[in-house]
Amino acid sequence: MQQEKFKKLYQMAVDDLTGNLLPWWMQYSVDEENGGFYGAVTNDNVPEAGHSKFITLNERLIWTFASAYRILGDENYLRYAKRAYDYFLAHFYDREHGGWYSRVDEKGAVLDDNKYIYGNAFAIYGLSEYCRATGDQEALRLAVETRDCLEKYVYDPEYKGFYESCRADWTVNPWGKGMNRSPFDVKTMNTHLHLLEAYTALCRVDDSAKTRNSLRQQLYVMLNKIVDHDIHHYFYFQDRAWKPTTPEISFGHDIEGSWLMMETAEILGEPEAHRAARDTCVNIARACLEQGQREDGAMLTEYDPRTGHITPAISWWEQNEAVVGFLNAWEVTGEEKYLDASLQCFDFADKHFVDHEKGGWFAVLSLDGTQVLSKQKANGPTCPYHNGRMCMEIIERYRRHAAAEGAKAE
């Protein structure tokens, strides 16, 4: 019975990835006039003229199409990955100081030369996956260079972890807007979570002692500084010494981190890391299942335990991460409730977030799922990375299960 549920999840992933999601991005987001991809596309599949192009969207496009090529083997996906990679290198790379600018205009001229640490983390992520898919050594060199810049200029040697934003020359800028709300949120869970996934991706293609040490330290920072082990959620914002500055809980980041930390431990391949991560990650998934997932399958956004306030909207990415996070918890524990939660969440997303008329995915819905609140299917943060990765994680995990079952039968 569980295998049938997993097979259904797999087929949903294949159908959406190859029949809806990637075709939509290939048809509607390509900027033939100015190069690369449009900075924004409306819910009616119309590009917004004059819209700037943000670092995060471009990096995630590199990652998505490179990963799709690696997993599915379609040369067409490689062509789009190279398009994103070439544009990113031509317009976002700071050849003087290293690292990556935050924003360019429609024609590729730099609008914001500040270094956004979250954005530079995704540069490592996308470049590493591009190297993994294609063997491109220049992409690997740039990923390592970016990592080295972060550790040279942004790392906090006293308390560990990383600051949020820098000026173009890598001087730390407390007033620069990263994932923090204010300069008092010196360190953020969101930036550190995506540094973790970036370093994990880098370790797949550069298994050097330096990379492994960086990855190991990042995992333990997450486990020991950012996880609240009393309630099994992440601290959202913290000061330099890791004192929390807010009580809010982000269910999407929690469930995302529950599988990303396990992935890191598996890549490290160290029994100590696996023991440290396993129970923490399962506890987080359990807390998200009990507190964050509704009966209809939807994953809530943010929750304030002091006031009981729930964000009056739900986003596409939280649903995607819940699908993978609960699937991972099922694989780790064998408890069917997690597989059911994964399938139920994907069902909800397919019914409410997928645009079955015009293609693609809506980004933000009202809390009850009946109204589309966002006006764009593509923009700076809205991209095919969360939903694409969800589908590809399901595909790869299903293949591994099928191979294992086949080996047992022999």
Side-chain angles (χ1 to χ4, degrees):
M1 183 63 177
Q2 293 187 44
Q3 290 303 317
E4 287 301 312
K5 292 177 181 178
F6 196 6
K7 186 176 182 179
K8 178 182 178 182
L9 200 63
Y10 167 77
Q11 195 58 57
M12 290 175 70
V14 171
D15 291 347
D16 189 77
L17 184 68
T18 63
N20 170 50
L21 182 62
L22 295 180
W24 186 91
W25 282 88
M26 291 187 290
Q27 181 174 354
Y28 295 110
S29 73
V30 176
D31 186 346
E32 298 288 5
E33 180 179 353
N34 300 301
F37 296 80
Y38 291 116
V41 181
T42 70
N43 288 340
D44 291 322
N45 302 341
V46 177
E48 292 192 2
H51 201 286
S52 62
K53 300 179 179 183
F54 192 52
I55 180 173
T56 309
L57 174 60
N58 283 265
E59 297 157 330
R60 289 172 168 182
L61 285 164
I62 297 171
W63 184 91
T64 299
F65 281 108
S67 193
Y69 167 67
R70 177 180 59 80
I71 293 168
L72 301 175
D74 189 330
E75 293 285 337
N76 202 31
Y77 300 146
L78 176 60
R79 183 162 63 90
Y80 285 92
K82 188 175 189 308
R83 179 185 187 88
Y85 172 75
D86 289 345
Y87 186 89
F88 187 58
L89 183 56
H91 296 282
F92 284 88
Y93 183 49
D94 183 344
R95 285 171 172 75
E96 179 180 359
H97 300 107
W100 308 87
Y101 301 126
S102 292
R103 191 180 295 274
V104 301
D105 68 15
E106 182 182 29
K107 298 186 180 300
V110 177
L111 290 176
D112 183 354
D113 64 1
N114 287 295
K115 301 291 164 57
Y116 179 45
I117 308 313
Y118 177 95
N120 276 260
F122 272 103
I124 298 171
Y125 193 56
L127 294 167
S128 297
E129 181 65 16
Y130 190 78
C131 173
R132 186 184 180 195
T134 67
D136 190 297
Q137 293 303 295
E138 179 66 3
L140 176 58
R141 184 191 70 78
L142 291 166
V144 170
E145 178 188 281
T146 305
R147 185 274 314 276
D148 290 346
C149 284
L150 292 177
E151 298 196 351
K152 180 178 181 180
Y153 299 112
V154 196
Y155 177 72
D156 179 355
E158 182 175 358
Y159 292 102
K160 308 298 182 287
F162 294 81
Y163 299 108
E164 276 295 303
S165 298
C166 292
R167 300 176 183 86
D169 64 358
W170 287 106
T171 54
V172 173
N173 178 17
W175 291 95
K177 188 69 173 68
M179 299 311 294
N180 54 325
R181 302 166 305 173
S182 76
F184 305 105
D185 301 324
V186 178
K187 293 169 183 173
T188 71
M189 165 271 295
N190 204 354
T191 291
H192 285 82
L193 177 62
H194 293 294
L195 279 166
L196 180 76
E197 73 178 354
Y199 280 14
T200 302
L202 180 59
C203 196
R204 292 183 189 275
V205 290
D206 176 41
D207 192 21
S208 64
K210 183 173 182 179
T211 295
R212 291 182 66 82
N213 183 65
S214 295
L215 178 59
R216 185 184 302 110
Q217 182 175 149
Q218 189 65 14
L219 174 62
Y220 283 100
V221 162
M222 295 296 299
L223 290 171
N224 298 330
K225 303 293 186 182
I226 300 178
V227 174
D228 182 343
H229 292 276
D230 290 334
I231 61 172
H232 310 300
H233 293 289
Y234 284 134
F235 294 118
Y236 208 158
F237 301 103
Q238 293 164 272
D239 67 12
R240 185 185 173 198
W242 302 105
K243 180 181 178 181
T245 59
T246 181
E248 286 90 353
I249 289 168
S250 172
F251 290 116
H253 289 110
D254 288 347
I255 194 63
E256 181 180 18
S258 75
W259 74 267
L260 286 176
M261 291 191 296
M262 282 293 298
E263 178 185 56
T264 299
E266 289 164 4
I267 293 301
L268 283 171
E270 298 166 358
E272 299 85 358
H274 191 271
R275 286 196 299 269
R278 184 193 183 282
D279 289 348
T280 295
C281 292
V282 170
N283 282 334
I284 291 174
R286 184 182 297 112
C288 287
L289 178 63
E290 294 173 352
Q291 302 166 23
Q293 189 176 36
R294 302 190 314 211
E295 290 186 2
D296 61 3
M299 176 58 70
L300 297 174
T301 300
E302 293 179 10
Y303 168 70
D304 187 334
R306 296 174 308 179
T307 64
H309 178 262
I310 296 172
T311 302
I314 49 177
S315 301
W316 94 103
W317 71 268
E318 290 139 355
Q319 317 312 313
N320 304 151
E321 298 304 334
V323 171
V324 180
F326 291 137
L327 178 61
N328 182 73
W330 170 66
E331 290 183 295
V332 173
T333 67
E335 296 181 40
E336 192 170 359
K337 66 181 181 182
Y338 292 117
L339 180 60
D340 289 339
S342 179
L343 185 56
Q344 190 180 18
C345 193
F346 201 158
D347 276 333
F348 180 90
D350 179 63
K351 291 174 184 175
H352 298 278
F353 281 93
V354 175
D355 185 346
H356 289 281
E357 178 184 354
K358 298 179 180 178
W361 286 59
F362 299 119
V364 182
L365 304 179
S366 58
L367 193 57
D368 62 5
T370 62
Q371 299 178 53
V372 178
L373 302 182
S374 52
K375 300 183 182 301
Q376 300 161 330
K377 290 178 181 173
N379 56 38
T382 307
C383 58
Y385 146 77
H386 287 287
N387 37 17
R389 186 171 68 175
M390 172 190 73
C391 293
M392 289 185 275
E393 280 290 326
I394 293 170
I395 290 169
E396 288 199 293
R397 289 165 188 257
Y398 184 81
R399 287 176 177 175
R400 288 198 294 268
H401 274 261
E405 290 301 314
K408 288 179 183 178
E410 291 179 357

